[in-house]
Amino acid sequence: MTRTNYVFTSESVSEGHPDKVCDRISDAILDAFLSEEPNARVACETFATTNTVVVGGEVGLSTEAATKAMLGRVEGIVRDCVRDIGYEQDKFHWNTLKVHNFLHEQSAHIAQGVDRDGAGDQGIMFGYACRETPELMPAPIQYSHAILRRLAEVRKNGTEPTLGPDAKSQLSLRYEDGKPVEVTSIVLSTQHLDEAQTSDDIRAIVEPYIREILPAGWITGKTEWWVNPTGKFVIGGPDGDAGLTGRKIIVDTYGGAAPHGGGAFSGKDPTKVDRSAAYAARYLAKNVVAAGLADRCTLQVSYAIGVAKPLSIYVDTHGTGAVDEAVIERAVAKCMDLTPRGIRTHLGLNKPIYARTSAYGHFGRDATADGGFSWEKTDLVEALKSEAAR
């Protein structure tokens, strides 16, 4: 039987976290290639440490000359990302760090399967949606993201100039009858630029923003606050701890409230089903819940490299379904072409829309006019209702 009374915790990290710096760089490089050609191939990994960023992986445009020209832009893209995030530390500064570019052309053996419209790799991908928030996301991760996004806003606009780019948040929520009702603990660690500031000083800065973000009544007299619990946090970012693309996959998705497939997202073009099929799975799960077919929905798809058709579609509504899971499985297969090409076409994924996904979650965001976060739309509701009623 599903538990209805419990405490669940999720964490988020800011755009200045070392791993997120790397995700941002990888996705910005992807966007640059897609701006040049919608069918560009990119599998870009980034490593960052003190005064150094290393970029490597496989890329490809339609001609060797075009690929070479794009590779010449990589160093500038790296520096622009680090500058926008806000790093001007002595040992990690956008203008003085060293950039090592080891990107090279995509393997022809991988390309041959993708060029026949097959999946870029084997794998399993999961999507999830629930009614805990208006965005149909689990509450702990959604609000953990929102807190850090708000702190980044006031840092960048000059309202809170002593905050640094590197930060982490963590919320523990108490559930009653399956619904979040209370914050039992708040953990917030943020880099600060003034060495004289204490943990109490930082709490005085961040607490009003945290209270602004969380629903009324969730913070109580029993809520535990842990703000910069180790004390000073002046040295941050890749100077304090090395970063790597793809190490925050639970932060990127559902905060541990749902399963995760084997692959990270950032730096991968949409022929890679690690990314595109995970977006499709979220899109379908969200539309299932929005359509009233379930209050919670976990959806899995699986693929084989070079094969277009998904090997399986699995749905679990966790006992909340208005119809049988098998009915929903058939309905989603009817309502969306889940081949890699079908996903890219339906969601419009061959666009430079990925750098914005690299921090504060790939899900639970607003779809934008230029095609960003298209997988958050609920435009499949009527089609799913119709198919489920057959």
Side-chain angles (χ1 to χ4, degrees):
M1 181 178 294
T2 301
R3 292 183 66 190
T4 57
N5 300 316
Y6 55 91
V7 175
F8 191 81
T9 303
S10 294
E11 69 158 347
S12 180
V13 298
S14 72
E15 63 202 72
H17 184 281
D19 295 331
K20 283 291 153 199
V21 172
C22 295
D23 285 346
R24 170 71 174 274
I25 291 168
S26 292
D27 274 337
I29 290 170
L30 168 60
D31 279 355
F33 273 82
L34 290 174
S35 295
E36 191 72 16
E37 293 182 10
N39 293 317
R41 300 289 165 73
V42 178
C44 177
E45 308 293 345
T46 303
F47 167 73
T49 187
T50 301
N51 276 335
T52 304
V53 171
V54 181
V55 179
E58 300 182 326
V59 296
L61 295 172
S62 57
T63 68
E64 184 177 342
T67 301
K68 185 175 181 180
M70 281 299 304
L71 290 175
R73 293 174 52 191
V74 166
E75 180 172 339
I77 293 169
V78 171
R79 295 190 189 281
D80 286 347
C81 288
V82 176
R83 177 170 53 186
D84 183 67
I85 291 168
Y87 277 114
E88 295 186 342
Q89 297 174 192
D90 288 344
K91 294 184 179 180
F92 197 76
H93 193 295
W94 63 268
N95 194 39
T96 58
L97 59 82
K98 297 178 182 178
V99 179
H100 302 278
N101 180 6
F102 297 108
L103 290 166
H104 58 86
E105 289 189 327
Q106 183 186 44
S107 163
H109 291 167
I110 293 176
Q112 66 186 357
V114 178
D115 291 341
R116 295 195 299 265
D117 293 337
D121 201 353
Q122 70 176 49
I124 58 172
M125 299 83 206
F126 288 93
Y128 181 73
C130 62
R131 295 197 180 277
E132 292 180 20
T133 63
E135 299 83 6
L136 304 184
M137 283 285 289
I141 188 66
Q142 190 71 4
Y143 289 111
S144 292
H145 288 322
I147 288 167
L148 293 182
R149 192 161 54 241
R150 181 68 176 125
L151 293 180
E153 288 172 358
V154 295
R155 170 177 65 85
K156 289 185 169 184
N157 68 21
T159 305
E160 303 294 350
T162 65
L163 295 182
D166 195 355
K168 301 178 78 172
S169 64
Q170 183 172 289
L171 289 179
S172 298
L173 299 187
R174 183 172 65 83
Y175 286 70
E176 282 185 3
D177 296 326
K179 297 178 180 180
V181 296
E182 179 187 12
V183 179
T184 61
S185 67
I186 298 168
V187 183
L188 192 289
S189 295
T190 180
Q191 184 185 11
H192 53 101
L193 307 183
D194 184 347
E195 293 196 28
Q197 287 176 311
T198 66
S199 297
D200 289 340
D201 294 329
I202 300 302
R203 176 170 173 175
I205 292 171
V206 303
E207 183 172 342
Y209 298 109
I210 294 173
R211 289 183 178 275
E212 169 192 316
I213 291 297
L214 294 174
W218 279 20
I219 296 176
T220 71
K222 297 186 294 182
T223 300
E224 295 183 352
W225 289 77
W226 302 98
V227 177
N228 281 18
T230 61
K232 294 190 188 305
F233 183 6
V234 175
I235 299 173
D239 180 35
D241 190 12
L244 192 66
T245 299
R247 283 204 300 200
K248 288 293 176 285
I249 58 177
I250 299 302
V251 170
D252 286 342
T253 54
Y254 307 103
H260 194 291
F265 302 155
S266 289
K268 296 178 181 179
D269 74 71
T271 68
K272 280 74 170 174
V273 285
D274 279 344
R275 182 170 219 156
S276 57
Y279 289 176
R282 160 63 179 172
Y283 173 67
L284 291 170
K286 185 175 183 180
N287 275 269
V288 165
V289 173
L293 301 180
D295 289 335
R296 290 175 60 199
C297 179
T298 299
L299 188 147
Q300 183 204 60
V301 289
S302 66
Y303 292 86
I305 188 168
V307 179
K309 184 180 177 182
L311 305 183
S312 65
I313 301 171
Y314 167 79
V315 167
D316 183 358
T317 58
H318 309 277
T320 70
V323 298
D324 190 78
E325 280 100 341
V327 171
I328 298 175
E329 290 167 356
R330 290 193 294 270
V332 298
K334 287 280 189 179
C335 291
M336 184 176 183
D337 179 357
L338 286 171
T339 65
R341 179 180 291 276
I343 292 171
R344 296 196 301 274
T345 301
H346 190 110
L347 297 178
L349 298 182
N350 288 97
K351 298 175 182 177
I353 55 174
Y354 297 103
R356 71 193 74 170
T357 69
S358 61
Y360 314 119
H362 291 245
F363 309 127
R365 312 278 287 271
D366 292 331
T368 58
D370 65 352
F373 300 101
S374 59
W375 48 94
E376 290 298 313
K377 293 181 179 179
T378 52
D379 54 0
L380 214 59
V381 164
E382 295 306 319
L384 284 170
K385 286 182 178 178
S386 178
E387 284 295 333
R390 291 179 185 272

